[in-house]
Amino acid sequence: MPDQSVQNLPLPPSPPPSRRIEDYALIGDCETAALVGLDGSIDWLCWPRFDSPACFASLLGDTENGRWLIAPSAAEVKVTRRYRPGTLILETEFETATGVVKVIDFMPVRTHTSRLYRIVEGVRGRVEMRLELIMRFDYGISVPWASQLDGEEGMSFVVGPNRVLLRSPVAVRGEDRKTIGSFDVGAGEQYNFELTYGLSYLDAPDAGDAEHDLNDLEQRWRKWSGECVAAAPWSEVVRRSLITLKALTYQQTGGIVAAPTTSLPEWLGGERNWDYRYCWLRDATLSLTALMAAGYYREARAWRAWLVRAVAGDASQIQIMYGIGGERQLDERVVHGLPGFEHSIPVRIGNQASTQLQLDVYGELMDALHQCRKYDLNSDSPEDPQTDEASWRVQLAVLEHLEDVWQEPDEGIWEVRGGRQQFTYSKVMAWVAFDRAIKSVELFGFEGPVDHWRELRDTIHAQVCARGFNPHRNSFVQAYGSDALDASLLLIAQVGFLPASDPRIVGTVAAIEKELVINGFVVRYLTHETADGLPPGEGAFLACSFWLADNLAMQGRLDEARELFERLIAISNDVGLLAEEYDPKACCQLGNFPQAFSHVALIHTALNLVHAAAEKPMPAESRGK
């Protein structure tokens, strides 16, 4: 790879952050999730669903926007933390001058009631602790009515339909619209705190059993994560990414959210701040193949079922993203009461990109369902053959619509807001849609106008090679007639459009290495050159960096691929989590966190490298077959 020290990225300087996105860890109950800071503060929680309004929103503001702190009172504290192996149970150890205390944070997989536990255990000496709970519903805006619980220590918080109960083993009191308390913890002592969500017009939820729920949850997670296929020497890295993917899955529908957060900035102080608490069709193929390759067929089936339900209906109305239940109305608005993470505004709720035309999603949909058939995902359930026939009818409608629109300009994979273009990758994925339809007929016996599809496939292929490839640059380019590069072009070989050894692919990878690799990481495109409708400035896109590693491996450059992969996993935070982007100059993560797309890409690259080392076909090489 070229010497990255000579690369220059003409971007505005990123201000040094006082908070870091990677300071957070994830806990969740497979229907929502919370972010826990190194300081012992839970700063983000949407209840009861991933996409519900947040009741802790200090992540995007300050403490007055809602949080739950349990931490030592001492000013000088040493902090270490970890997940219990194979689980989403977080253990944070605080060491002060007087002793050591451990806080165990977890949310049991939800059955009827959503609970968040914080167990405080004394490890050594005696530590003075403080508790501060600030409930602020509706994204840190609505102050609830607070009252003491009857017959037990704790508080009730009610606003509108929402009720949250705090059950505490120590005395708490209200002060300045906060709930506060203090207590000492000695070695061997334990205090169990519980926060429970319910509806205000129903009976209050009963108290849970922290010890029972902790033991049950640990067994559940260990059993689930123990089924992961081996990926030595990166088995634990892959396992943590799969646990994260599972945690981002809404268990009632099988939908996988892109991230549990909104508006964490892609550039500190910038306005590239988006709501990612939804399900993107674009994530479908890679998520499905990651789950299936790792052995998690039940989750893959649930994701596939969500996918078919979400797109069912008029094919002309297919969206690029949906709600976790398949909802289509994702209207975007700004929350003016939140100042944003590190003053990065606006804070957005909903996502306007849901109304965009992005032609690549048709190819992603067709490819995802093709991969399901390749993995024989329908074989274990008696109702699946009928479901597969139904999904084929949906696919036929999609192809009929795509034939009408594939030549139109669109907003593309990166959801630009500066006007539609003839994006090369969008056309490649239109080719994928018809290619997978042809393969479905050839391999699985479905019926369709296969000769007509072959003509369309050949027409699209010829057009992309003629108009999307710039012979002067010896590279495919971002859009027809453009000189700009785009990291999405790294997927051309993986989807089977051309082999990785084709000189045009080799030239494209070389051009991206030269121009889009900044300090060892890949940016999507140069924001000062692309009219995306936003001010320039964003971090390196981690999934794109993994895609480069895949291409290096496919070209036989295994040492370079492993070097890049190791560089990428090294920027995971202390508990193995990745955001969407990374600032290689300020050395901090950027964007919504944790990001499913980053972890899915990590899984795929790890498996590609494991297969390559064993001299087996890489998954990246078989996707287009």
Side-chain angles (χ1 to χ4, degrees):
M1 297 176 68
D3 180 7
Q4 302 311 322
S5 64
V6 304
Q7 299 300 310
N8 179 40
L9 183 60
L11 294 175
S14 176
S18 60
R19 290 189 297 169
R20 298 166 67 90
I21 291 171
E22 56 263 45
D23 287 346
Y24 289 95
L26 177 78
I27 60 173
D29 64 1
C30 295
E31 293 193 19
T32 191
L35 293 186
V36 187
L38 274 169
D39 59 356
S41 179
I42 298 178
D43 290 346
W44 183 257
L45 172 62
C46 300
W47 248 347
R49 303 189 345 164
F50 289 109
D51 56 356
S52 298
C55 59
F56 296 151
S58 65
L59 178 72
L60 300 178
D62 56 33
T63 59
E64 291 300 317
N65 297 119
R67 70 156 180 179
W68 186 13
L69 173 75
I70 298 180
S73 301
E76 298 292 330
V77 182
K78 179 183 177 182
V79 183
T80 56
R81 63 183 178 179
R82 65 160 196 159
Y83 285 116
R84 288 190 178 181
T87 78
L88 202 66
I89 299 168
L90 180 68
E91 295 184 338
T92 305
E93 195 168 89
F94 299 97
E95 181 178 353
T96 73
T98 63
V100 177
V101 67
K102 179 190 298 181
V103 178
I104 304 170
D105 292 313
F106 65 98
M107 299 179 73
V109 174
R110 193 181 309 182
T111 51
H112 302 293
T113 303
S114 185
R115 307 180 192 274
L116 194 163
Y117 290 108
R118 312 198 75 180
I119 298 176
V120 182
E121 294 182 350
V123 177
R124 186 177 73 247
R126 181 161 290 275
V127 180
E128 181 182 341
M129 303 288 289
R130 66 188 182 106
L131 177 152
E132 181 181 79
L133 175 62
I134 304 174
M135 296 299 307
R136 296 289 186 269
F137 294 88
D138 300 317
Y139 301 105
I141 296 172
S142 298
V143 179
W145 179 263
S147 58
Q148 291 278 348
L149 295 181
D150 293 330
E152 58 182 322
E153 190 62 47
M155 301 289 293
S156 170
F157 306 92
V158 173
V159 62
N162 303 295
R163 185 210 312 264
V164 172
L165 301 179
L166 168 68
R167 291 184 168 94
S168 169
V170 303
V172 294
R173 68 184 190 278
E175 183 178 294
D176 296 331
R177 301 198 297 185
K178 304 175 184 178
T179 299
I180 62 174
S182 60
F183 57 101
D184 290 347
V185 181
E189 297 177 354
Q190 179 174 310
Y191 296 86
N192 299 339
F193 298 85
E194 176 187 344
L195 208 63
T196 309
Y197 178 84
L199 295 171
S200 61
Y201 48 84
L202 300 178
D203 292 339
D206 294 331
D209 184 333
E211 290 291 332
H212 172 271
D213 288 349
L214 176 61
N215 292 332
D216 179 71
L217 183 65
E218 183 165 13
Q219 291 178 20
R220 281 174 178 248
W221 272 116
R222 290 197 176 209
K223 182 177 185 295
W224 187 88
S225 63
E227 298 171 358
C228 177
V229 299
W234 301 295
S235 294
E236 290 308 311
V237 174
V238 169
R239 193 186 318 276
R240 177 52 53 195
S241 290
L242 285 161
I243 290 171
T244 304
L245 199 59
K246 174 70 170 176
L248 298 180
T249 303
Y250 187 67
Q251 65 177 358
Q252 291 195 39
T253 65
I256 302 173
V257 295
T261 57
T262 180
S263 299
L264 287 177
E266 296 174 4
W267 195 254
L268 294 178
E271 61 182 75
R272 295 172 185 262
N273 317 319
W274 317 111
D275 193 346
Y276 274 21
R277 298 170 301 155
Y278 306 114
C279 307
W280 266 253
L281 294 191
R282 184 172 297 112
D283 298 356
T285 303
L286 293 176
S287 297
L288 278 166
T289 52
L291 289 166
M292 292 185 292
Y296 293 104
Y297 285 86
R298 183 176 62 182
E299 286 74 16
R301 286 191 186 92
W303 181 218
R304 173 192 176 279
W306 176 92
L307 182 66
V308 175
R309 289 195 307 270
V311 303
D314 188 334
S316 68
Q317 296 179 333
I318 285 179
Q319 298 181 183
I320 64 104
M321 72 177 82
Y322 297 85
I324 55 179
E327 298 88 352
R328 299 187 174 206
Q329 300 300 317
L330 308 178
D331 298 337
E332 184 176 303
R333 64 183 178 89
V334 172
V335 180
H336 295 287
L338 286 173
F341 183 88
E342 291 294 286
H343 307 289
S344 304
I345 55 174
V347 171
R348 292 181 172 94
I349 304 302
N351 202 309
Q352 178 185 324
S354 62
T355 64
Q356 290 184 345
L357 174 64
Q358 298 175 25
L359 293 171
D360 66 290
V361 300
Y362 297 100
E364 295 290 357
L365 172 63
M366 294 295 296
D367 195 20
L369 296 174
H370 177 66
Q371 301 302 324
C372 288
R373 295 183 182 109
K374 282 173 56 179
Y375 276 88
D376 201 16
L377 199 61
N378 306 319
S379 62
D380 292 342
S381 183
E383 71 272 13
D384 273 341
Q386 180 179 348
T387 302
D388 205 27
E389 289 292 340
S391 71
W392 180 245
R393 291 195 295 273
V394 171
Q395 290 176 265
L396 289 174
V398 168
L399 291 167
E400 184 176 350
H401 176 64
L402 180 60
E403 184 176 351
D404 293 334
V405 301
W406 74 267
Q407 297 192 70
E408 294 183 11
D410 70 335
E411 279 89 1
I413 181 175
W414 305 129
E415 303 173 358
V416 299
R417 299 191 175 198
R420 294 180 176 180
Q421 300 183 50
Q422 297 283 5
F423 287 109
T424 300
Y425 180 70
S426 295
K427 307 307 183 188
V428 169
M429 292 308 293
W431 175 90
V432 167
F434 292 106
D435 177 74
R436 303 311 189 255
I438 294 163
K439 287 181 169 63
S440 294
V441 172
E442 294 173 341
L443 299 176
F444 305 111
F446 289 101
E447 294 184 359
V450 68
D451 290 336
H452 179 58
W453 290 340
R454 289 192 182 103
E455 291 178 5
L456 279 170
R457 182 180 64 176
D458 292 346
T459 297
I460 298 171
H461 197 281
Q463 184 188 100
V464 170
C465 291
R467 300 179 62 188
F469 183 79
N470 186 326
H472 301 292
R473 302 209 63 179
N474 191 33
S475 172
F476 285 97
V477 288
Q478 183 181 64
Y480 290 176
S482 169
D483 288 331
L485 294 174
D486 191 304
S488 65
L489 304 170
L490 292 168
L491 293 173
I492 293 178
Q494 292 194 46
V495 301
F497 185 84
L498 287 171
S501 59
D502 187 284
R504 291 164 292 186
I505 297 297
V506 174
T508 300
V509 172
I512 289 172
E513 287 184 270
K514 181 179 179 182
E515 298 185 28
L516 297 188
V517 176
I518 311 298
N519 295 331
F521 300 91
V522 181
V523 297
R524 296 185 298 174
Y525 50 84
L526 299 180
T527 56
H528 67 285
E529 291 184 357
T530 296
D532 62 7
L534 296 163
E538 69 169 11
F541 200 84
L542 295 181
C544 296
S545 301
F546 285 112
W547 298 343
L548 176 57
D550 295 333
N551 275 268
L552 296 175
M554 293 169 71
Q555 292 182 8
R557 300 161 62 184
L558 292 179
D559 289 342
E560 294 171 85
R562 281 190 289 265
E563 179 186 353
L564 176 53
F565 182 73
E566 292 287 355
R567 186 185 312 138
L568 284 162
I569 62 176
I571 64 169
S572 302
N573 75 352
D574 58 320
V575 289
L577 300 180
L578 289 169
E580 182 180 36
E581 299 188 0
Y582 182 71
D583 183 345
K585 294 184 177 180
C587 299
C588 63
Q589 296 195 31
L590 297 170
N592 284 305
F593 175 89
Q595 177 78 6
F597 210 36
S598 298
H599 284 279
V600 166
L602 182 156
I603 294 165
H604 274 281
T605 303
L607 295 177
N608 283 330
L609 293 175
V610 169
H611 280 70
E615 298 184 350
K616 297 179 180 178
M618 288 181 283
E621 296 173 321
S622 61
R623 178 177 168 184
K625 297 180 180 178

